PDB file of all heavy atoms in Angstrom:
ATOM      1  N   ALA A 995      11.905  -8.245  -2.111  1.00 98.00           N
ATOM      2  CA  ALA A 995      11.938  -9.712  -2.221  1.00 98.00           C
ATOM      3  C   ALA A 995      10.550 -10.297  -1.979  1.00 98.00           C
ATOM      4  O   ALA A 995      10.135 -11.235  -2.666  1.00 98.00           O
ATOM      5  CB  ALA A 995      12.950 -10.290  -1.237  1.00 98.00           C
ATOM      6  N   VAL A 996       9.807  -9.741  -1.026  1.00 98.00           N
ATOM      7  CA  VAL A 996       8.444 -10.201  -0.740  1.00 98.00           C
ATOM      8  C   VAL A 996       7.555  -9.971  -1.958  1.00 98.00           C
ATOM      9  O   VAL A 996       6.710 -10.814  -2.292  1.00 98.00           O
ATOM     10  CB  VAL A 996       7.880  -9.492   0.517  1.00 98.00           C
ATOM     11  CG1 VAL A 996       6.402  -9.798   0.716  1.00 98.00           C
ATOM     12  CG2 VAL A 996       8.672  -9.882   1.766  1.00 98.00           C
ATOM     13  N   ALA A 997       7.736  -8.847  -2.645  1.00 97.00           N
ATOM     14  CA  ALA A 997       6.929  -8.519  -3.830  1.00 97.00           C
ATOM     15  C   ALA A 997       7.040  -9.579  -4.918  1.00 97.00           C
ATOM     16  O   ALA A 997       6.113  -9.759  -5.719  1.00 97.00           O
ATOM     17  CB  ALA A 997       7.339  -7.154  -4.381  1.00 97.00           C
ATOM     18  N   LYS A 998       8.142 -10.299  -4.962  1.00 96.00           N
ATOM     19  CA  LYS A 998       8.339 -11.335  -5.987  1.00 96.00           C
ATOM     20  C   LYS A 998       7.269 -12.438  -5.902  1.00 96.00           C
ATOM     21  O   LYS A 998       7.027 -13.141  -6.869  1.00 96.00           O
ATOM     22  CB  LYS A 998       9.728 -11.965  -5.859  1.00 96.00           C
ATOM     23  CG  LYS A 998      10.857 -10.965  -5.975  1.00 96.00           C
ATOM     24  CD  LYS A 998      11.308 -10.803  -7.387  1.00 96.00           C
ATOM     25  CE  LYS A 998      12.538  -9.926  -7.442  1.00 96.00           C
ATOM     26  NZ  LYS A 998      12.349  -8.769  -8.278  1.00 96.00           N
ATOM     27  N   ARG A 999       6.614 -12.571  -4.730  1.00 96.00           N
ATOM     28  CA  ARG A 999       5.558 -13.585  -4.550  1.00 96.00           C
ATOM     29  C   ARG A 999       4.206 -13.118  -5.087  1.00 96.00           C
ATOM     30  O   ARG A 999       3.263 -13.895  -5.178  1.00 96.00           O
ATOM     31  CB  ARG A 999       5.396 -13.913  -3.066  1.00 96.00           C
ATOM     32  CG  ARG A 999       6.521 -14.716  -2.473  1.00 96.00           C
ATOM     33  CD  ARG A 999       6.447 -16.195  -2.825  1.00 96.00           C
ATOM     34  NE  ARG A 999       5.164 -16.764  -2.431  1.00 96.00           N
ATOM     35  CZ  ARG A 999       4.594 -17.792  -3.034  1.00 96.00           C
ATOM     36  NH1 ARG A 999       5.194 -18.389  -4.041  1.00 96.00           N
ATOM     37  NH2 ARG A 999       3.434 -18.265  -2.624  1.00 96.00           N
ATOM     38  N   SER A1000       4.089 -11.862  -5.468  1.00 95.00           N
ATOM     39  CA  SER A1000       2.821 -11.311  -5.954  1.00 95.00           C
ATOM     40  C   SER A1000       2.316 -12.092  -7.160  1.00 95.00           C
ATOM     41  O   SER A1000       3.103 -12.546  -7.990  1.00 95.00           O
ATOM     42  CB  SER A1000       3.016  -9.846  -6.342  1.00 95.00           C
ATOM     43  OG  SER A1000       1.884  -9.365  -7.029  1.00 95.00           O
ATOM     44  N   THR A1001       1.004 -12.202  -7.260  1.00 93.00           N
ATOM     45  CA  THR A1001       0.386 -12.887  -8.393  1.00 93.00           C
ATOM     46  C   THR A1001      -0.225 -11.907  -9.392  1.00 93.00           C
ATOM     47  O   THR A1001      -0.884 -12.314 -10.337  1.00 93.00           O
ATOM     48  CB  THR A1001      -0.704 -13.863  -7.903  1.00 93.00           C
ATOM     49  OG1 THR A1001      -1.675 -13.127  -7.147  1.00 93.00           O
ATOM     50  CG2 THR A1001      -0.110 -14.968  -7.044  1.00 93.00           C
ATOM     51  N   CYS A1002       0.004 -10.604  -9.182  1.00 91.00           N
ATOM     52  CA  CYS A1002      -0.569  -9.570 -10.049  1.00 91.00           C
ATOM     53  C   CYS A1002       0.204  -9.482 -11.365  1.00 91.00           C
ATOM     54  O   CYS A1002       1.437  -9.517 -11.371  1.00 91.00           O
ATOM     55  CB  CYS A1002      -0.542  -8.218  -9.336  1.00 91.00           C
ATOM     56  SG  CYS A1002      -1.275  -6.876 -10.313  1.00 91.00           S
ATOM     57  N   LEU A1003      -0.521  -9.365 -12.450  1.00 92.00           N
ATOM     58  CA  LEU A1003       0.098  -9.264 -13.766  1.00 92.00           C
ATOM     59  C   LEU A1003       0.468  -7.831 -14.134  1.00 92.00           C
ATOM     60  O   LEU A1003       1.153  -7.608 -15.129  1.00 92.00           O
ATOM     61  CB  LEU A1003      -0.840  -9.837 -14.836  1.00 92.00           C
ATOM     62  CG  LEU A1003      -1.143 -11.327 -14.697  1.00 92.00           C
ATOM     63  CD1 LEU A1003      -2.166 -11.771 -15.735  1.00 92.00           C
ATOM     64  CD2 LEU A1003       0.128 -12.152 -14.799  1.00 92.00           C
ATOM     65  N   ARG A1004       0.007  -6.848 -13.339  1.00 90.00           N
ATOM     66  CA  ARG A1004       0.290  -5.443 -13.621  1.00 90.00           C
ATOM     67  C   ARG A1004       1.426  -4.897 -12.765  1.00 90.00           C
ATOM     68  O   ARG A1004       2.365  -4.321 -13.264  1.00 90.00           O
ATOM     69  CB  ARG A1004      -0.958  -4.588 -13.371  1.00 90.00           C
ATOM     70  CG  ARG A1004      -2.050  -4.789 -14.387  1.00 90.00           C
ATOM     71  CD  ARG A1004      -3.266  -3.985 -13.990  1.00 90.00           C
ATOM     72  NE  ARG A1004      -4.182  -3.855 -15.112  1.00 90.00           N
ATOM     73  CZ  ARG A1004      -4.972  -2.832 -15.303  1.00 90.00           C
ATOM     74  NH1 ARG A1004      -4.983  -1.839 -14.444  1.00 90.00           N
ATOM     75  NH2 ARG A1004      -5.783  -2.799 -16.335  1.00 90.00           N
ATOM     76  N   ARG A1005       1.273  -5.024 -11.459  1.00 92.00           N
ATOM     77  CA  ARG A1005       2.258  -4.478 -10.515  1.00 92.00           C
ATOM     78  C   ARG A1005       2.454  -5.447  -9.365  1.00 92.00           C
ATOM     79  O   ARG A1005       1.517  -6.079  -8.900  1.00 92.00           O
ATOM     80  CB  ARG A1005       1.783  -3.132  -9.962  1.00 92.00           C
ATOM     81  CG  ARG A1005       1.811  -2.028 -10.980  1.00 92.00           C
ATOM     82  CD  ARG A1005       1.296  -0.726 -10.407  1.00 92.00           C
ATOM     83  NE  ARG A1005       0.131  -0.854  -9.572  1.00 92.00           N
ATOM     84  CZ  ARG A1005      -1.124  -0.961 -10.008  1.00 92.00           C
ATOM     85  NH1 ARG A1005      -1.367  -0.978 -11.295  1.00 92.00           N
ATOM     86  NH2 ARG A1005      -2.121  -1.057  -9.169  1.00 92.00           N
ATOM     87  N   LYS A1006       3.686  -5.513  -8.880  1.00 95.00           N
ATOM     88  CA  LYS A1006       4.015  -6.362  -7.742  1.00 95.00           C
ATOM     89  C   LYS A1006       4.373  -5.469  -6.565  1.00 95.00           C
ATOM     90  O   LYS A1006       5.228  -4.603  -6.689  1.00 95.00           O
ATOM     91  CB  LYS A1006       5.181  -7.283  -8.084  1.00 95.00           C
ATOM     92  CG  LYS A1006       4.841  -8.278  -9.174  1.00 95.00           C
ATOM     93  CD  LYS A1006       5.957  -9.259  -9.393  1.00 95.00           C
ATOM     94  CE  LYS A1006       5.588 -10.305 -10.412  1.00 95.00           C
ATOM     95  NZ  LYS A1006       4.505 -11.166 -10.037  1.00 95.00           N
ATOM     96  N   PHE A1007       3.690  -5.692  -5.448  1.00 96.00           N
ATOM     97  CA  PHE A1007       3.969  -4.937  -4.224  1.00 96.00           C
ATOM     98  C   PHE A1007       4.320  -5.901  -3.107  1.00 96.00           C
ATOM     99  O   PHE A1007       3.728  -6.982  -3.000  1.00 96.00           O
ATOM    100  CB  PHE A1007       2.743  -4.115  -3.794  1.00 96.00           C
ATOM    101  CG  PHE A1007       2.452  -2.951  -4.684  1.00 96.00           C
ATOM    102  CD1 PHE A1007       1.507  -3.051  -5.686  1.00 96.00           C
ATOM    103  CD2 PHE A1007       3.119  -1.753  -4.522  1.00 96.00           C
ATOM    104  CE1 PHE A1007       1.235  -1.981  -6.519  1.00 96.00           C
ATOM    105  CE2 PHE A1007       2.860  -0.669  -5.351  1.00 96.00           C
ATOM    106  CZ  PHE A1007       1.912  -0.786  -6.349  1.00 96.00           C
ATOM    107  N   GLY A1008       5.272  -5.490  -2.301  1.00 97.00           N
ATOM    108  CA  GLY A1008       5.643  -6.243  -1.111  1.00 97.00           C
ATOM    109  C   GLY A1008       5.676  -5.283   0.063  1.00 97.00           C
ATOM    110  O   GLY A1008       6.014  -4.106  -0.099  1.00 97.00           O
ATOM    111  N   ALA A1009       5.334  -5.788   1.238  1.00 98.00           N
ATOM    112  CA  ALA A1009       5.317  -4.948   2.429  1.00 98.00           C
ATOM    113  C   ALA A1009       5.828  -5.740   3.623  1.00 98.00           C
ATOM    114  O   ALA A1009       5.603  -6.956   3.709  1.00 98.00           O
ATOM    115  CB  ALA A1009       3.898  -4.450   2.701  1.00 98.00           C
ATOM    116  N   ILE A1010       6.509  -5.038   4.507  1.00 98.00           N
ATOM    117  CA  ILE A1010       6.910  -5.629   5.780  1.00 98.00           C
ATOM    118  C   ILE A1010       6.642  -4.614   6.880  1.00 98.00           C
ATOM    119  O   ILE A1010       6.629  -3.405   6.631  1.00 98.00           O
ATOM    120  CB  ILE A1010       8.398  -6.066   5.814  1.00 98.00           C
ATOM    121  CG1 ILE A1010       9.333  -4.871   5.677  1.00 98.00           C
ATOM    122  CG2 ILE A1010       8.688  -7.130   4.773  1.00 98.00           C
ATOM    123  CD1 ILE A1010      10.786  -5.187   6.020  1.00 98.00           C
TER     124      ILE A1010
END
Side-chain angles (χ1 to χ4, degrees):
V996 172
K998 302 270 187 238
R999 288 282 304 152
S1000 170
T1001 58
C1002 182
L1003 297 175
R1004 289 176 164 210
R1005 290 178 318 279
K1006 295 186 176 296
F1007 289 97
I1010 64 167

